Amino acid sequence: MADDFEFSDQSPPSFQNMGNVIKDAEPKGLNPGLIVLLVVGGLLLSFLVGNFVLYTYAQKTLPPRKKKPVSKKKMKKERLKQGVSAPGE
């Protein structure tokens, strides 16, 4: 059974021709995953900055919201709760 392995003292022939591939490897550009991450991060950042700019612009230029008018019936109820008699009674 131990005689079955011909390459016990050396690496298989498929790896012999590889040499120092890892040591000789040079960076050939940016990683595609990094490019996608940078693009998505840039879009997200620009979206958030744009929302902040629009929010501050709207706060400066738009008038404050008007409150809903209180109905006469509700005003009458509030006055009765406070103990002030409603006019005309």
Side-chain angles (χ1 to χ4, degrees), residues 58-87:
Q59 289 294 319
K60 290 178 184 176
T61 58
L62 292 176
R65 269 192 185 171
K66 293 180 180 177
K67 293 183 179 179
K68 287 184 177 179
V70 181
S71 67
K72 291 179 182 178
K73 196 175 190 181
K74 285 185 179 179
M75 285 180 63
K76 192 174 184 181
K77 281 184 181 179
E78 286 179 15
R79 285 186 183 161
L80 287 173
K81 283 180 184 178
Q82 292 175 358
V84 179
S85 62

Side-chain angles (χ1 to χ4, degrees), residues 11 13-28:
S11 60
S14 60
F15 290 113
Q16 286 176 353
N17 297 333
M18 297 288 282
N20 292 330
V21 174
I22 296 174
K23 292 180 184 175
D24 297 338
E26 295 179 10
K28 296 178 178 145

Side-chain angles (χ1 to χ4, degrees), residues 43-59:
L43 288 174
L44 181 66
L45 185 66
S46 63
F47 176 75
L48 293 174
V49 169
N51 275 348
F52 177 74
V53 169
L54 285 174
Y55 175 76
T56 53
Y57 174 74
Q59 289 294 319

Side-chain angles (χ1 to χ4, degrees), residues 31-41:
N31 185 1
L34 180 64
I35 293 172
V36 169
L37 184 66
L38 289 174
V39 168
V40 170

